[in-house]
């Protein structure tokens, strides 16, 4: 029933909105904007005291002074240092896995290339996985390495947003807050409680949370086992729910199992599926609402949310439509319509317990946010369905995007839109009272341009190396889509996989790792720089001559800027991939991948 | 103000030829690198030209040599058209400088052979006066230049400059010993020593600036350049990566050819923001040029831009908000005197009074009471003109001694003559002052006849203008030396947002600082040395050309017309400059969509024929499609040159409305316009036999 599919989609969106409304004031309290914490207006003073209490001991132990403030340069250096330390820590952990505790299956050290790729991937909140979790990583590595990075990489994304907003809110201020204080409050006072709550809810649905080792179970139909194969199957368990909760909430996306959200231990029921989609979207949406609270004008936050929605909802409708429509490759006589025993639409590569609509919604949510968890094989989507998923990443992960970083990236787009629109009304441009000048423009353009350039150059380098291009097994445009998708995912810190690609060669592991690191750091650091330069400025008074930045027209303008830079850069490449595939007179055979 | 557009210049073949020549010399890469967008296009043009030559010399290759040559021509045309636009703007500035040379103010001065009144005089042009020359100025003369008073006491009408409606006294010695060029002597005489040479004037400095063409980029231009350079970079990557992409596609599709360099260069020039990149310098030069045409000399392009940002205008009352002089508004007789009697006496006393106030009294008497002007000589009357010593004026007629003057002066005269000032007249004077006007008492001997009410007359239409400014978000603040009562009355009548009464230089400075603290950008005009600190503090400071040297140095603009109302125009020019930049940027970026539809199907059609479905314009062939897109891209620059020079239409509207209108015209227009144009060019190319 197609109506049923739309109702399901609508219900999930409503649930997301409600969750975001509840979280927003909390998130707003996590990052105080003023440099004098005591002088904050009422409302969240109790929440603030609680956040201080929960993060205080850690900060005191680390020797961070309570009133510490950093300049943008110091804040940026702290972020860089924190990423470097996280990368080294994770690399050492993965390489020494064999000698570390809680390795019941006796897994060996992770190979160098995979370890580098994985360390880069989890430190940058990308969570591209060039390994299968259950056969490569011990529960120790998963819990202490990956899950910890899931928390702190998400938290540092939120920190960047906080710096940028402080730039807009503070005036004549040399400082933009303290990274350590922000990080501790975001991790311990925000992400951890949310993850515990979600983890419990997911466990209630049957997501495994266990310290037990793998279990060998006899097959139900042991007779059918071919000679020479074992009559038992090994079922891996572990601390799954705790990792899945934060992988969804922190827009990380790295699954405990190779099958990610399609694995019944990670995502067993339609309700868990709903919770996981809501968890991906809730914090980015709440970020927009919190933005309105931070800048003291709720309309500004709603406008940015509307800009995201304008880019999200039409494509949500498209991908749901494409994925619930009959596969044109099948002969007309094949009945693909919905019936009692068939959900309708193409089901290859999709989990029947979710169906095509929920799979499509999951796909666009995971690519629009920079989550990257998957509950279906994007490779098997219709060409245009795959295009939508790919395109959501290519927009630069600013439509919801990563927690913190997505909204921060959209603000960078907003600054560019304000710049041109401001000129059009005859004023040198300003956003929320801050003049947009050469420095903001320079840093903003770096934020906007690094991801598409990394994506395009990465894909091009794969194309000129025939041996590496062969990692995509499919012929024709679909094969190109697989290459383009991989670099779109890494170059925008998404981490989802199209599928099909065997990306374990030195080229692929290192090129993708480089794309992930470059994209992450060269967007975060310029955003911090913008925050610093804006904070130092005075605030220009608002008047009827000021460009209003909360109107529907402005929302369209911001969306237009995102499309112009994000989308138009990829039009020729997409023409050679999904568009050529979609327009193909006779579809090529569906790749088994 | 000279606003006569040198309309001929766009149609002037000579100017166009000169600009075309300049466009060629501007191809020098050392000059081109100032504009990153056009520089990359020039490099591309050189590259493709080299390729075309190599192909014509027999090098093998896939693309047809004629096609490569045609793309090279398109690239060169794009660069040349952009240079042409800049050269046209510069040429217009030069023409303006020539015109300015001719319009240097020229009054006749009485040069003295010695610094004494009695010395012989010769009539010379004011432009011939040198510093140190001595000049005699008599009642009615225009002061020929800035100078210092050597001898004499006189009243001077400086209202056009100082903002004070009352005549001021200038005398030798003390701190009232300077006169300003362009002011008018009302009474008596002065001997002055000229203090500034011709050639050191701001007019001369402006001419050298307009001609110098040594232009620094403004901060806003730099920021826009960064945006355009960034976009150029990403489109360079987009086109460059298409070569490997197409190689991969050819390998997997098993047909077609990888994209040639000419097609890639064509796609790049179409996607890069060449329209705005090419017109940006022309827009900036034209903006300064429009200021010059309004007879305003800006010390930098930055100042012109800042004018667009200003949201508080400090306006001097006199000359801007009110007419330069007060005018008689009513006759208020004392008890026992009819209004007509008072009017008659007032008229008689003013018949020979050439001051603006005197004339307005005669006019009012005629309007209200039908009293016709009479010839003072024929009446046998003796006119007693206003002098700085007596501070009254009047007439002696048939034994009557009619005098008019300020209350305190008249009171002294009446008391001295044994009379008294009736309390009632004092009350009338107080009432008049409270209403924001100036009382002038009329006496006949010792008999006090009544009071003439002199009022500041608010300029017609100024209230509407302030309303428009308010809609644009610009606050107006009236600055006046009047007392708060008078100021409040005029402020209410003119509809300004705020006023500063009994303004001292310190109060002005404090007010500017306060507004800036609140985040406003403040513009003001000033002329006196005591205005200099405020001028230096203001974001846009327009000094009157007739003002002191200190004022001119403290400001960042000089108004050659010394017209305080000019501030409104300056704001408009600044806004128009920014709007033109923003609108053409939007247009340039919106253009890209159509070019994808033209070039992508043409470029990839050989590999994936199904992409022909994207060719919504149904173009003739891949060759004509690519060439039509390149041709449109080049021609649109030429087409927009007049717009870049003239500026987009400017109307005082709120930002939200302006955005909607400009987005509709330039955004949506930029999106749609190229489709029919490219189709037309494609038809044209096909008709010319291009395969």
């Amino acid at each position: 029933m197609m109506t049923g599919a739309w109702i399901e989609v609508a219900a999930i969106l409503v649930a997301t909105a409600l969750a975001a409304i509840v979280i927003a004031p909390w998130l707003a309290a996590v990052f105080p904007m003023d440099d004098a914490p005591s002088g904050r207006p009422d409302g969240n003073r109790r929440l603030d005291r609680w956040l201080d209490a929960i993060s205080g001991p850690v900060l005191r132990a680390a020797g961070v002074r309570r009133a510490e403030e950093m300049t943008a340069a110091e804040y940026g250096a702290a972020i860089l240092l924190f990423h470097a330390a996280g990368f080294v820590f994770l690399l050492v952990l993965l390489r020494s896995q064999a000698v570390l505790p809680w390795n019941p299956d006796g897994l060996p050290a992770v190979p160098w290339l995979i370890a580098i790729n994985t360390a880069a991937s989890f430190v940058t909140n990308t969570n591209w996985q060039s390994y299968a979790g259950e056969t490569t990583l011990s529960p120790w590595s998963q819990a202490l390495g990956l899950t910890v990075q899931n928390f702190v990489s998400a938290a540092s994304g939120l920190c960047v947003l906080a710096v940028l907003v402080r730039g807009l809110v503070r005036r004549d201020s040399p400082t933009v807050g303290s990274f350590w204080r922000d990080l501790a409050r975001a991790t311990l006072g925000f992400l951890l409680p949310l993850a515990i709550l979600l983890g419990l809810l997911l466990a209630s649905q049957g997501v495994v949370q266990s310290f037990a080792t793998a279990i060998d179970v006899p097959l139900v139909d042991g007779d059918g086992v071919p000679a020479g194969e074992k009559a038992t199957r090994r079922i891996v368990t572990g601390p799954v729910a705790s990792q899945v909760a934060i992988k969804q909430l922190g827009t990380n996306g790295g699954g405990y199992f190779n099958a990610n959200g399609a694995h019944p231990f990670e995502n067993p029921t339609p309700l868990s599926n709903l919770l996981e989609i809501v968890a991906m979207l809730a914090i980015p949406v709440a970020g927009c609402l919190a933005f309105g609270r931070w800048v003291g004008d709720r309309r500004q936050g709603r406008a940015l949310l509307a800009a995201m929605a304008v880019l999200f909802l039409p494509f949500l409708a498209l991908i749901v439509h494409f994925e619930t429509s009959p596969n044109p490759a099948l002969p007309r006589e094949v009945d693909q319509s919905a019936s009692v025993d068939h959900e309708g639409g193409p089901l290859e590569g999709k989990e029947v317990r979710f169906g095509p609509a929920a799979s499509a919604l999951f796909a666009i949510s995971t690519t629009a946010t920079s989550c990257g968890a998957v509950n279906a094989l994007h490779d098997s989507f219709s060409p245009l369905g795959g295009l939508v998923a790919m395109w959501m990443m290519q927009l630069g992960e600013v439509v919801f995007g990563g927690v913190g970083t997505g909204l921060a990236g959209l603000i960078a787009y907003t600054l560019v839109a304000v710049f041109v629109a401001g000129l059009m009304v005859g004023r040198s441009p300003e956003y929320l009272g801050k003049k947009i000048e050469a420095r903001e423009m320079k840093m903003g353009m770096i934020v906007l341009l690094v991801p598409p350039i990394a994506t395009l150059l990465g894909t091009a380098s794969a194309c000129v190396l025939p041996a590496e291009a062969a990692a995509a097994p499919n012929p024709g445009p679909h094969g190109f889509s697989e290459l383009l998708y991989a670099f779109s995912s890494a170059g925008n810190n998404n981490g989802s996989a199209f599928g099909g690609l065997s990306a374990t060669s030195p080229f692929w592991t290192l090129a993708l790792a480089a794309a992930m690191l470059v994209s992450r750091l060269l967007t975060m650091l310029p955003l911090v720089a913008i925050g610093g330069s804006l904070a130092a400025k005075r605030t220009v008074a608002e008047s009827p001559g000021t460009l209003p930045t909360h109107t529907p027209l402005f929302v369209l303008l911001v969306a237009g800027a995102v499309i112009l830079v994000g989308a138009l850069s990829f039009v020729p490449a997409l023409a050679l991939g999904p568009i050529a595939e979609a327009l193909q007179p006779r579809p090529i055979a569906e790749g088994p991948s | 103000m000279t606003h006569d557009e040198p309309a001929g210049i766009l149609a002037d073949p000579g100017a166009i030829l000169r600009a075309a020549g300049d466009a060629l010399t501007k191809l020098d890469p050392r000059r081109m690198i100032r504009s990153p967008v056009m520089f990359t296009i020039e490099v591309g043009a050189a590259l493709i030209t080299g390729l075309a030559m190599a192909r014509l010399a027999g090098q093998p290759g896939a693309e047809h040599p004629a096609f490569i040559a045609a793309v090279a021509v398109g690239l060169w045309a794009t660069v040349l058209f952009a240079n042409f636009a800049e050269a046209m703007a510069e040429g217009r500035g030069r023409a303006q400088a020539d015109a300015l040379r001719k319009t240097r103010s020229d009054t006749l001065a009485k040069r003295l052979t010695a610094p004494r009144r009695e010395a012989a005089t010769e009539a010379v042009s004011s432009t011939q006066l040198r510093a140190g020359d001595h000049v005699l100025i008599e009642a009615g003369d225009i002061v020929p230049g800035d100078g210092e008073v050597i001898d004499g006491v006189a009243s001077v009408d400086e209202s056009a400059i100082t903002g004070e409606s009352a005549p001021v006294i200038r005398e030798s010695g003390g701190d009232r010993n300077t006169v300003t060029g362009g002011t008018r002597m009302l009474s008596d005489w002065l001997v002055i020593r000229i203090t500034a040479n011709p050639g050191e004037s701001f007019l001369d400095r402006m001419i050298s600036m307009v001609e110098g063409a040594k232009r620094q980029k403004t901060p806003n231009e730099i920021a826009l350049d960064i945006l355009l350079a960034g976009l150029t970079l990403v489109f360079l990557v987009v086109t460059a990566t298409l070569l490997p992409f197409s190689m991969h596609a050819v390998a997997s599709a098993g047909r077609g050819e990888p994209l040639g360099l000419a097609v890639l260069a064509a796609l790049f020039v179409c996607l890069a923001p060449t329209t705005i990149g090419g017109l940006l310098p022309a827009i900036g030069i034209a903006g300064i040029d429009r200021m010059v045409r309004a007879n305003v000399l800006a010390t930098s392009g930055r100042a012109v831009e800042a004018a667009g940002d200003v949201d508080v205008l400090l306006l001097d009352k006199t000359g801007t908000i009110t007419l330069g002089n007060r005018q008689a508004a009513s006759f208020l007789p004392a008890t026992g005197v009819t209004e007509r009697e008072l009017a008659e006496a007032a008229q008689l006393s003013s018949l020979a009074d050439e001051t603006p106030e005197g004339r307005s009294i005669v006019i009012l008497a005629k309007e209200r009471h039908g009293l016709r002007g009479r010839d003072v000589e024929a009446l046998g009357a003796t006119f007693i003109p206003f002098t700085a010593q007596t501070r009254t004026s009047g007439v002696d007629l048939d034994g009557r001694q009619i005098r008019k003057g300020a209350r305190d002066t008249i009171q002294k005269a009446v008391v001295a003559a044994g009379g008294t000032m009736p309390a009632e007249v004092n009350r009338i004077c107080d009432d008049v002052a409270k209403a924001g006007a100036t009382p002038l008492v009329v006496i006949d001997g010792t008999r006090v006849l009544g009071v003439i009410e002199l009022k500041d007359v608010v300029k017609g239409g100024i209230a509407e203008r302030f309303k428009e400014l308010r809609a644009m978000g610009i606050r107006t603040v009236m600055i006046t030396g009047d007392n708060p009562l008078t100021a409040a009355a005029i402020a209410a009548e003119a509809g300004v947002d705020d006023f500063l009464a009994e303004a001292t230089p310190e109060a002005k400075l404090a007010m500017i600082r306060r507004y800036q603290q609140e985040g406003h950008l403040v513009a003001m005009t000033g002329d006196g040395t005591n205005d200099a600190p405020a001028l230096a503090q203001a974001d846009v400071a327009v000094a009157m050309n007739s003002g002191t040297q200190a004022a001119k140095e403290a400001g960042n603009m000089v108004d050659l017309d010394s017209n305080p109302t000019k501030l409104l125009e300056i704001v408009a020019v600044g806004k128009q400059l920014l709007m033109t930049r923003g609108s053409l940027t939007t247009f340039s970026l919106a253009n890209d969509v159509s070019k994808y539809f033209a070039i992508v199907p043409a470029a990839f059609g050989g590999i994936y024929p199904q992409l022909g479905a994207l060719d919504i314009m149904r173009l003739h062939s891949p060759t004509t499609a690519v060439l039509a897109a390149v041709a449109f891209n080049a021609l649109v620059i030429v087409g927009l040159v007049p717009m870049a020079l003239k500026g987009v239409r400017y109307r005082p509207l709120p930002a939200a409305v302006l955005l909607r209108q400009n987005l509709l015209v330039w955004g949506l227009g930029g999106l749609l316009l190229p489709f029919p144009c490219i189709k037309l060019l494609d038809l044209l190319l096909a008709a010319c036999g291009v395969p």
Side-chain angles (χ1 to χ4, degrees), chain A residues 42 46 123 548:
Chain A
D42 52 8
R46 267 196 8 229
V123 165

Side-chain angles (χ1 to χ4, degrees), chain B residues 149 152-156 158 162 168-172 175-180 189-190:
Chain B
V149 180
V153 182
S155 60
V156 181
E158 294 193 342
T162 58
V168 293
I169 307 298
R170 291 288 176 242
E171 58 196 347
S172 58
D175 57 357
R176 296 190 295 181
N177 67 343
T178 55
V179 287
T180 318
W189 55 268
L190 290 175

Side-chain angles (χ1 to χ4, degrees), chain A residues 171-172 416 419-430 435-439 441-443 445 448-449 452-453 455-457 459-464 469-470 472 474-480 483-484 538-548 551 553-554 557 564-565 567-577 579-585, chain B residues 219-220 222-224 226-231 233-235 237-238 241-242 244-249 252-253 267 271 302 305 308-311 470-474 515-521 539 574-576 578-583 585-586 589-590 592-593 596 600 604 607-608 610-614 653-656 658-663 666-667:
Chain A
R171 44 166 85 182
D172 301 320
V416 173
F419 185 80
V420 177
L423 288 182
M424 266 196 287
V425 302
R427 287 265 291 233
S428 76
E430 70 211 32
K435 286 273 175 218
I436 310 303
E437 289 163 311
R439 184 167 169 76
M441 217 54 195
K442 195 183 291 170
M443 294 300 156
M445 287 311 282
L448 263 54
L449 298 184
I453 290 178
T455 305
L456 288 170
L457 288 182
T459 313
S461 57
C463 285
V464 292
N474 290 82
H478 194 76
F480 180 72
L483 305 178
L484 184 61
R538 64 175 174 161
T539 305
V540 181
E542 198 185 331
S543 79
T546 311
L547 176 79
T551 59
L553 186 67
F554 187 77
L557 198 73
L564 200 76
V565 177
L568 287 191
S569 313
F570 289 97
V571 163
L574 290 171
L576 288 175
I579 296 175
E581 189 187 352
L583 292 172
Q584 220 150 217
Chain B
N220 179 261
I222 292 170
L224 185 53
I226 291 169
L227 172 72
L228 299 180
L231 290 173
L233 177 68
V234 77
F235 286 128
V237 172
V238 167
T241 51
L242 278 183
F245 291 176
S246 65
M247 280 157 56
H248 180 268
S252 56
L267 183 59
L271 295 183
R302 185 188 196 128
E305 266 170 22
D309 281 354
V310 158
D311 59 355
R470 202 168 303 121
M472 293 167 66
I474 297 175
Y515 272 118
Q516 288 175 336
Q517 204 62 45
E518 289 167 13
H520 296 283
L521 284 135
D539 299 283
K575 285 200 177 295
Q576 198 186 25
L578 296 175
M579 281 165 64
T580 308
R581 244 180 233 159
S583 299
T585 304
T586 308
L589 298 182
D592 278 4
V593 175
Y596 276 120
V600 166
F604 299 144
I607 307 170
Y608 295 124
Q610 66 265 35
L611 287 176
L614 297 180
L653 292 170
L658 280 177
L659 179 66
R660 194 165 61 229
Q661 292 182 350
N662 284 335
L663 213 52
W666 299 100

Side-chain angles (χ1 to χ4, degrees), chain B residues 106-175:
Chain B
D106 195 355
T107 55
L108 223 50
K110 297 168 200 155
R111 184 160 67 189
L112 292 162
T113 49
R116 297 187 317 273
R117 189 187 178 189
E118 305 76 33
T121 62
E122 49 176 338
V124 297
S125 156
S126 61
T127 54
Q128 288 175 294
L129 291 173
R130 293 285 177 279
D133 281 352
H134 292 89
V135 177
L136 172 67
I137 319 167
E138 289 169 305
D141 287 352
I142 302 286
V143 178
D146 289 6
E148 191 185 335
V149 180
I150 301 296
D151 193 11
V153 182
S155 60
V156 181
D157 176 8
E158 294 193 342
S159 60
I161 305 156
T162 58
E164 291 302 325
S165 32
V168 293
I169 307 298
R170 291 288 176 242
E171 58 196 347
S172 58
D175 57 357

Side-chain angles (χ1 to χ4, degrees), chain B residues 9-146:
Chain B
I9 191 117
L10 279 174
D12 173 7
I16 289 178
L17 270 178
R18 265 197 308 281
D22 287 350
L24 280 170
T25 55
K26 280 172 185 289
L27 285 177
D28 183 346
R30 284 166 303 181
R31 295 189 61 157
M32 291 296 294
I33 200 138
R34 273 171 60 91
S35 165
V37 182
M38 297 321 291
F39 180 72
T40 50
I41 304 297
E42 188 181 29
V43 170
L47 211 73
I48 299 302
T49 309
L51 182 70
M53 285 175 178
R55 287 299 314 281
L56 289 170
Q59 288 280 322
E63 290 172 307
H64 196 285
F67 173 71
I68 301 174
V71 170
V73 168
L75 293 178
W76 283 118
T78 310
V79 178
L80 283 171
F81 289 164
N83 287 349
F84 173 76
E86 190 178 345
M88 282 295 283
E90 284 171 358
R92 239 160 63 121
R94 270 200 292 274
Q96 185 67 18
D98 292 341
L100 278 169
R101 265 197 206 90
K102 290 176 201 144
T103 60
R104 269 188 278 217
S105 70
D106 195 355
T107 55
L108 223 50
K110 297 168 200 155
R111 184 160 67 189
L112 292 162
T113 49
R116 297 187 317 273
R117 189 187 178 189
E118 305 76 33
T121 62
E122 49 176 338
V124 297
S125 156
S126 61
T127 54
Q128 288 175 294
L129 291 173
R130 293 285 177 279
D133 281 352
H134 292 89
V135 177
L136 172 67
I137 319 167
E138 289 169 305
D141 287 352
I142 302 286
V143 178
D146 289 6

Side-chain angles (χ1 to χ4, degrees), chain B residues 57 78 123 204 208 219 386 505 652 665 674:
Chain B
T78 310
D204 298 293
S208 65
F386 180 89
V665 173

